[in-house]
Amino acid sequence: ILLAERYIHLGWRARGHAPAKDVAWDQVELFHDWLRKAELLLIEVCAEEPSYAPAWTARLATARGLGLGQSEARRRYDRLVEHHPRLFPAQSRLLQQLCPQWGGSWEAAHGFAQECADAAPDGSHAGILVAEAHVEHWSDLKNTEAAEATAYLQDPSVRDELRAAARASVLHPGHRRDWHWTRGHSTFALAFSLGGHLADAARHFTAL
């Protein structure tokens, strides 16, 4: 699994972070080559250990990068959920797949993030997904109209969703500081800062 994750990392690094239309053909070829190598390893792992969460989580990244579509990503996620119903890294990777850039929609992405947050116990990481969805939405808007992107995160309804998600996750008294806690505070700090909600952002910067 570590080797497969390394191949995935090398693949995404070769592709870069540009929109699909701006990625060169040779970058795409190298990207897919690395992901196919990872996928071959992961297929074997999942066959031998069907409940092994890291392998299914990694296969969500390969499904997205190889363009296998929404249905296949959901199938992989559902296989994982059979054994691990609320695994944050897998939820975060499926959230990426549900964004429009990868064939989804903002309705699906925000709906999934809120669904995970609502189903999770207080203090879990799931609320971070709400912030991740809003940051992704802002980033997509920024590529076309910067003013619209800024207005999006300034919207009081978005701010209130972020506040509620933060209170239920990284700001909740029951939140445990495992290896995702810095990512959570960083994501909320970013979302609040971009929207100009500096007092809200300060709580997360203080925690960091």
Side-chain angles (χ1 to χ4, degrees), residues 162-174:
L162 290 168
R163 284 177 175 175
R167 287 196 302 269
S169 57
V170 294
L171 295 181
H172 192 273

Side-chain angles (χ1 to χ4, degrees), residues 8-193:
I8 292 170
H9 172 77
L10 291 172
W12 285 99
R13 187 168 72 179
R15 181 197 181 279
H17 299 289
K21 62 183 177 60
D22 298 326
V23 180
W25 177 84
D26 58 337
Q27 286 178 276
V28 174
E29 284 294 299
L30 185 56
F31 174 46
H32 285 172
D33 284 346
W34 283 117
L35 293 191
R36 281 190 286 265
K37 288 180 180 179
E39 180 75 356
L40 289 173
L41 293 174
L42 293 167
I43 287 171
E44 291 187 21
V45 175
C46 289
E48 294 178 8
E49 299 288 344
S51 65
Y52 190 52
W56 285 110
T57 301
R59 291 190 73 191
L60 290 171
T62 55
R64 178 160 54 99
L66 292 171
L68 302 185
Q70 300 290 311
S71 296
E72 175 60 15
R74 277 284 188 177
R75 183 192 73 81
R76 295 179 183 204
Y77 180 74
D78 290 343
R79 288 293 303 276
L80 183 150
V81 167
E82 290 174 10
H83 304 281
H84 308 278
R86 285 189 290 268
L87 189 67
F88 172 71
Q91 291 172 332
S92 183
R93 280 190 168 173
L94 183 62
L95 175 62
Q96 292 286 323
Q97 177 75 64
L98 295 174
C99 293
Q101 180 183 359
W102 301 100
S105 67
W106 289 123
E107 181 181 8
H110 289 297
F112 175 72
Q114 194 61 57
E115 175 188 325
C116 292
D118 291 343
D122 286 341
S124 77
H125 296 295
I128 302 168
L129 299 167
V130 174
E132 289 186 350
H134 283 306
V135 170
E136 288 292 335
H137 199 157
W138 168 85
S139 180
D140 184 63
L141 291 170
K142 182 173 65 71
N143 289 331
T144 55
E145 181 52 63
E148 186 178 350
T150 300
Y152 172 77
L153 285 179
Q154 289 175 340
D155 189 298
S157 65
V158 172
R159 178 205 61 197
D160 291 347
E161 280 188 18
L162 290 168
R163 284 177 175 175
R167 287 196 302 269
S169 57
V170 294
L171 295 181
H172 192 273
H175 181 68
R176 293 180 56 198
R177 288 189 170 188
D178 64 10
W179 62 352
H180 299 297
W181 80 271
T182 53
R183 170 180 172 179
H185 280 295
S186 295
T187 306
F188 280 111
L190 174 63
F192 283 127
S193 295

